[in-house]
C-alpha cells in the first residue's frame, strides 16, 4: 500500500507539468488567433490610434484664414429663418474660415458645416449648417 501511495505522489508531479503544458498551449493558440484575426496585442497603442482618427470638429478645408463674423453680421443672420436659401445666408456671412466634415443629422441628408469665428469673441465660432442649397440652422462652438 505504501508503494501505491508513493507511486501516486510521483504521478502528481507529471500531472502538474501536464497542466502547465496545456496552459502554455492555450496561450499560444489564443495569441495565434489574435494575430490571425488582426486584433491588437498592445491595447494602449490601439487606443491611441483610434483617438488620433480625425475628429468630426476638425476643419477639412481652410477657406479664408482671416475670416471673422462681426456683431452686425451675426445679428442679421439671426433674423434669417431656417429653410431659407443658402445664397441669402452666404450674402450675410460671406466666406467661412473653414469647412468641417459633412455629417448626417437627418436620415438621408448630408449636412455641410462652415465655421465663422466671431470677431468680438475669438474663443467662440459660429457653425452654419446647410443641406444642399438650404440653410438649416446654426450653433456656437467653443474650444
Amino acid at each position: 500500500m505504501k508503494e501505491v501511495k508513493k507511486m501516486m505522489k510521483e504521478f502528481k508531479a507529471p500531472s502538474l507539468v501536464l497542466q502547465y503544458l496545456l496552459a502554455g498551449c492555450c496561450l499560444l493558440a489564443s495569441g495565434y488567433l489574435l494575430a490571425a484575426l488582426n486584433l491588437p496585442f498592445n491595447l494602449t497603442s490601439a487606443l491611441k490610434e483610434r483617438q488620433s482618427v480625425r475628429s468630426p470638429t476638425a476643419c477639412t478645408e481652410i477657406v479664408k484664414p482671416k475670416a471673422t463674423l462681426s456683431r452686425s453680421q451675426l445679428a442679421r443672420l439671426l433674423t434669417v429663418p431656417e429653410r431659407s436659401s443658402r445664397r441669402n445666408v452666404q450674402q450675410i456671412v460671406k466666406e467661412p474660415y473653414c469647412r468641417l466634415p459633412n455629417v448626417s443629422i437627418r436620415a438621408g441628408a448630408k449636412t455641410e458645416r462652415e465655421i465663422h469665428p466671431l470677431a468680438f469673441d475669438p474663443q467662440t465660432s459660429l457653425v452654419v449648417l446647410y443641406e444642399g442649397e438650404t440653410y438649416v440652422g446654426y450653433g456656437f462652438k467653443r474650444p
Side-chain angles (χ1 to χ4, degrees), residues 33-55:
L33 274 173
L34 286 173
L37 296 174
N38 200 21
L39 295 175
F41 285 98
N42 187 350
L43 293 178
T44 55
S45 67
L47 289 174
K48 285 180 185 176
E49 286 177 20
R50 284 191 179 176
Q51 290 172 351
S52 68
V53 173
R54 182 174 286 272
S55 167

Side-chain angles (χ1 to χ4, degrees), residues 3-85:
E3 289 181 27
V4 173
K5 286 184 181 179
K6 188 176 181 182
M7 286 182 75
M8 290 299 281
K9 286 183 181 179
E10 290 177 13
F11 281 106
K12 284 185 182 178
S15 68
L16 189 61
V17 170
L18 186 61
Q19 288 176 354
Y20 286 130
L21 183 64
L22 186 60
C25 288
C26 287
L27 284 174
L28 284 172
S30 62
Y32 176 75
L33 274 173
L34 286 173
L37 296 174
N38 200 21
L39 295 175
F41 285 98
N42 187 350
L43 293 178
T44 55
S45 67
L47 289 174
K48 285 180 185 176
E49 286 177 20
R50 284 191 179 176
Q51 290 172 351
S52 68
V53 173
R54 182 174 286 272
S55 167
T57 59
C59 293
T60 56
E61 173 190 4
I62 304 293
V63 179
K64 189 174 180 185
K66 295 189 179 197
T68 58
L69 195 69
S70 68
R71 283 184 195 272
S72 61
Q73 286 174 302
L74 179 60
R76 286 182 31 218
L77 175 67
L78 297 180
T79 64
V80 176
E82 290 182 2
R83 313 304 299 169
S84 295
S85 165

